[in-house]
Amino acid sequence: TPIIIADVAVTKQAVDNPVKLSNGNFEVTYELLIENNGTVDLSNLTLIEDLATQYGPVYVNAHTLLLVMPPSDASSSITLDPTWNGGGAIEMMDLLVPTSLAVGDSFMLNFVVEIDAVAATGPLTNQVTVSGSAVDGNGNPYTDSNGDPITTTDDSDSGTEPSDNNSGKPGDTGGSDDPTPLYVADVGLAKEAGTPVANGDNWDVPFTLVFENTGTIDLTNLTMMDDIMAEFGNAFVSAQDLSVQNFTGSGTPPTANVGWETDTTQSMISGGTAVVDDTFEVIFTVTIDPDGIDNVSQGLLNQATTAGDGLDENGDPLTDPNG
């Protein structure tokens, strides 16, 4: 008497860190591992990856669907659909070609997704769904007591082990169907000089720096560097009135480091947590002496740099493969 258990499992993980493109978007490579964990072969496999629906406006396109590890059993047969794009075409398997996966066999595929992280309004997660029908050694379908085909379906778990709960992997909640989070750390910074005001022979220039968390994860340990004393050279007289203002969002504003006013090699801010889409302004005034400009033809140019450390969905620090 055969024991008929139809069971398929799939895992999903991001391969390496997202790569920033010249257009400001990000590309991330995903890896899927599909395995037959049941006691019977499977046929009529489907693999649904609907990125456009799950990612919403963040989704730009998807491409380069590749079978990087084909199944090893001679009776298995997998053919991918080259028209899949994660949007208008969401089926990864070529349904016009018979597909099968023998007991214990597995296969792996990769694909690339382009996203617009700026469009994110919170953490991003994604799942793929696999299904198949139980068949005997001759490829004939098994049916239940009602005469209906015996099928199996699985939503992907974040990780690399289809037969495991992938404890400790990104997005893990203890179950076997955890969506895979997309971690993109990205930040935007703009700087504007206000109208100079005469101060004797010198001029007071107000500056406004606008910070925004443009990624898909929260940021902490915020820093902002602006060594304006070195960049303005002999034209620099003093800096004053440093403050953090107009924080918008659900994070925690950083504090202004007044020590920066006398030593502009320090960070202008400290602490704080910026949730996705959080913004704030850093405002200060610089007194300059135009007669001290070192390169009159170039004028005065200045740039600031901001940074932050990424947090996962539990508020824990994110690290790359090197730690």
Side-chain angles (χ1 to χ4, degrees), residues 2-6 36 39-44 73 75-76 99-103 132-143 149-151:
I3 299 176
I4 302 169
I5 299 176
N36 183 348
T39 64
V40 293
D41 295 347
L42 298 173
S43 68
N44 301 322
D73 194 289
S75 64
S76 297
T99 55
S100 60
L101 190 62
V103 175
S133 302
V135 294
D136 63 19
N138 297 316
N140 299 314
Y142 281 111
T143 57
I150 297 175
T151 61

Side-chain angles (χ1 to χ4, degrees), residues 79-92:
T79 303
L80 301 180
D81 189 340
T83 66
W84 173 85
N85 59 21
I90 62 175
E91 172 59 67
M92 291 180 148

